[in-house]
Amino acid sequence: MAVAMAACSIGLHLTADNTFRAFEKTTVFKASSISDATKLCCITHKTTRLSSSGITIIPRASTVTGTVEDGNQGETDTIPTPIVIIDQDSDPDATVVEITFGDRLGALLDTMNALKNLGLNVVKANVFLDSSGKHNRFSITKADSGRKVEDPELLEAIRLTILNNMIQYHPESSAQLALGAAFGLVPPREQVDVEIATHITISDDGPDRSLLYVETADRPGLLVDLVKIITDINIAVESGEFDTEGLLAKAKFHVNYKDKALIKPLQQVLVNSLRYFLRRPTTEESSF
């Protein structure tokens, strides 16, 4: 991957069976369980290859022995923050994926092939530059239906596949990614303190919905887990934006309760539920 979610926009409806449905669409794609989705992305200590994409994960080493793509020693470079954006709002017919890692990314042909191995088609790809670096943007549809990706579990599988691919082809990025703690050549220098990193706010966004903002330490399966917690207390997710930025995840969800904005007591219930889940100790089964 000569190739991160400052924003991952998820403009979706959530159905009763916890699958997202795009506005004005009636077809719902049914994906495998989240355990299968995470297995696809090699989130176990024992697996060393992405089964869905055939991408080898480089095991952690104690020292940096290789060089980065431009030939410079990784230790002497200022390593940019990897950013993955999965945007469901800007294109009504496709899921837009944007990947940024400073100016270090190439054409990302290996990443596109890995996405194809998840049953996806890359229907359009382009590159643009700005002050933050080179942005590689793909428009993706389901290979079997030609529709945008609607299921949160598959969106999470896409995100983790991209991050694993980045660690393989840019091992210096592992120091900036939560996945680098287990699968990277260089683990993150510092652990993210979940107590400090977790911020949750809810505000009204008109009479019919509220805006939920969550910022916390990144980990695999987080997108699906957030949606499950919200819907488990009968709050509907209308649309959202999920950002992966280095070691942190930042999510914005438009939510409602029976087509109305959340009243203050229900807001507090939702905040408490999310805080409890995000701050509880992780188990070996759910960790990297």
Side-chain angles (χ1 to χ4, degrees), residues 6-137:
C8 163
S9 298
I10 308 166
L12 308 168
H13 284 307
L14 194 72
T15 65
D17 60 352
N18 285 347
T19 57
F20 281 121
R21 178 177 295 166
F23 303 135
E24 299 180 4
K25 293 182 182 292
T26 58
T27 300
V28 177
F29 170 75
K30 295 189 180 293
S32 58
S33 65
I34 182 57
S35 60
D36 292 336
T38 54
K39 286 176 183 176
L40 286 173
C41 296
C42 194
I43 309 305
T44 68
H45 289 287
K46 298 179 181 179
T47 308
T48 58
R49 178 175 294 271
L50 287 175
S51 60
S52 63
S53 58
I55 300 170
T56 302
I57 301 301
I58 300 175
R60 184 197 299 180
S62 58
T63 59
V64 177
T65 58
T67 58
V68 298
E69 190 172 90
D70 60 5
N72 296 326
Q73 291 293 329
E75 293 177 308
T76 63
D77 288 341
T78 299
I79 301 175
T81 300
I83 300 168
V84 173
I85 303 169
I86 302 179
D87 178 5
Q88 293 289 79
D89 288 335
S90 62
D91 190 328
D93 301 315
T95 298
V96 177
V97 175
E98 186 177 312
I99 308 169
T100 306
F101 187 42
D103 60 357
R104 302 183 180 214
L105 303 182
L108 303 187
L109 297 179
D110 294 283
T111 295
M112 286 192 284
N113 286 332
L115 295 174
K116 290 179 181 178
N117 288 336
L118 289 177
L120 304 168
N121 283 334
V122 178
V123 296
K124 184 169 60 176
N126 59 65
V127 178
F128 67 94
L129 298 173
D130 63 17
S131 59
S132 64
K134 180 189 295 184
H135 301 254
N136 292 263
R137 182 177 292 173

Side-chain angles (χ1 to χ4, degrees), residues 20-286:
F20 281 121
R21 178 177 295 166
F23 303 135
E24 299 180 4
K25 293 182 182 292
T26 58
T27 300
V28 177
F29 170 75
K30 295 189 180 293
S32 58
S33 65
I34 182 57
S35 60
D36 292 336
T38 54
K39 286 176 183 176
L40 286 173
C41 296
C42 194
I43 309 305
T44 68
H45 289 287
K46 298 179 181 179
T47 308
T48 58
R49 178 175 294 271
L50 287 175
S51 60
S52 63
S53 58
I55 300 170
T56 302
I57 301 301
I58 300 175
R60 184 197 299 180
S62 58
T63 59
V64 177
T65 58
T67 58
V68 298
E69 190 172 90
D70 60 5
N72 296 326
Q73 291 293 329
E75 293 177 308
T76 63
D77 288 341
T78 299
I79 301 175
T81 300
I83 300 168
V84 173
I85 303 169
I86 302 179
D87 178 5
Q88 293 289 79
D89 288 335
S90 62
D91 190 328
D93 301 315
T95 298
V96 177
V97 175
E98 186 177 312
I99 308 169
T100 306
F101 187 42
D103 60 357
R104 302 183 180 214
L105 303 182
L108 303 187
L109 297 179
D110 294 283
T111 295
M112 286 192 284
N113 286 332
L115 295 174
K116 290 179 181 178
N117 288 336
L118 289 177
L120 304 168
N121 283 334
V122 178
V123 296
K124 184 169 60 176
N126 59 65
V127 178
F128 67 94
L129 298 173
D130 63 17
S131 59
S132 64
K134 180 189 295 184
H135 301 254
N136 292 263
R137 182 177 292 173
F138 311 128
S139 295
I140 296 171
T141 61
K142 287 282 299 167
D144 58 356
S145 66
R147 297 177 181 272
K148 69 193 303 179
V149 180
E150 299 170 354
D151 182 64
E153 294 181 350
L154 186 53
L155 289 170
E156 179 71 347
I158 291 169
R159 182 176 79 96
L160 296 178
T161 296
I162 291 170
L163 293 176
N164 277 312
N165 222 30
M166 182 176 287
I167 287 174
Q168 180 189 358
Y169 289 96
H170 291 278
E172 74 277 16
S173 70
S174 69
Q176 303 277 45
L177 293 168
L179 289 178
F183 303 123
L185 186 65
V186 182
R189 293 182 179 86
E190 297 180 2
Q191 293 285 332
V192 175
D193 188 321
V194 176
E195 290 286 333
I196 296 174
T198 299
H199 304 281
I200 304 170
T201 61
I202 302 176
S203 58
D204 289 340
D205 190 30
D208 300 329
R209 65 183 188 178
S210 299
L211 180 63
L212 167 66
Y213 175 80
V214 181
E215 179 176 338
T216 192
D218 186 30
R219 59 169 182 72
L222 182 59
L223 170 59
V224 177
D225 288 339
L226 289 176
V227 172
K228 184 178 186 302
I229 294 166
I230 297 168
T231 57
D232 277 351
I233 53 179
N234 298 317
I235 294 174
V237 177
E238 296 181 11
S239 61
E241 175 181 306
F242 192 84
D243 311 354
T244 302
E245 188 171 344
L247 299 175
L248 296 177
K250 304 175 182 180
K252 294 179 182 178
F253 295 112
H254 289 110
V255 297
N256 71 73
Y257 178 70
K258 296 183 177 180
D259 298 322
K260 299 293 183 183
L262 306 188
I263 60 175
K264 294 298 181 182
L266 188 54
Q267 290 183 15
Q268 193 60 53
V269 169
L270 178 55
V271 169
N272 291 344
S273 298
L274 290 167
R275 283 192 186 280
Y276 172 78
F277 174 79
L278 294 171
R279 292 181 173 183
R280 70 185 182 185
T282 57
T283 64
E284 179 70 18
E285 186 175 316
S286 63

